[in-house]
Amino acid sequence: MSERKEEIGRGLLQAVAEGDEKAFSGIFHHYRNKVYAIAFKVTGSEAIAEEVLLDVFLKVWLKREQLPQVAHFSAWLFTITRNHLFNLLKQAAHRTQPALLADSEEYALCPASDNPAAILQEKEYRKVLQQAVDRLPPQQKKVYRLIKEHGLKREEAAVELNLSPETVKRHLSDAMQFIRVYCVSHLGTWAALTIVKGIL
């Protein structure tokens, strides 16, 4: 049985190495909770743990050609996670600001150059993101916009909407899950990770 599982795993890794986004999505959903748990244990922050999760899998996608040579994917993945967390902690030690990461909206979505193709790609990402937000149920949309677009804290959004903080947390989590799935279906997993990273 274990050999069969390993065979399936090797097939997935080979598929990802060849650029199969469906296979990559499968690996992402299989390991996401474990990577998130490690990041949350180290940072104590849900937002940063989510950011680390997406950063780690972006690295996996960018290194996908190496996957057929990886003997133990779990160990390789968790090494990438630990190294990324170590670098974040090193950066935090040299900063006076409490946040570990740069402003996520600019960090993930602003074009890195004046390259027309990059600008068009960024506009397409924003268009798909807005389409996803527009399709959210009314209450989820309100929570998302108050927190992600207007910068309110969860407790502030709860007061604004006359909801409990836990209800706001649930609405935001459901909204982010819908946005992630919508973006994957319209742009592919790699682009979806990039977009979701930009709105954390």
Side-chain angles (χ1 to χ4, degrees), residues 7-77:
E7 179 184 343
I8 292 173
R10 302 309 303 175
L12 272 178
L13 295 181
Q14 182 63 45
V16 174
E18 294 170 359
D20 186 331
E21 291 195 351
K22 185 176 180 180
F24 177 67
S25 182
I27 291 177
F28 172 75
H29 289 294
H30 183 77
Y31 286 101
R32 59 170 298 172
N33 289 340
K34 294 180 181 178
V35 172
Y36 176 89
I38 293 172
F40 182 75
K41 183 177 181 180
V42 172
T43 66
S45 166
E46 294 179 0
I48 295 175
E50 280 281 353
E51 187 103 22
V52 169
L53 169 67
L54 299 179
D55 278 338
V56 165
F57 276 93
L58 284 174
K59 288 183 179 181
V60 172
W61 179 254
L62 293 173
K63 294 174 179 287
R64 62 189 180 278
E65 293 181 358
Q66 301 176 16
L67 292 178
Q69 287 75 50
V70 174
H72 302 287
F73 179 75
S74 294
W76 183 78
L77 177 65

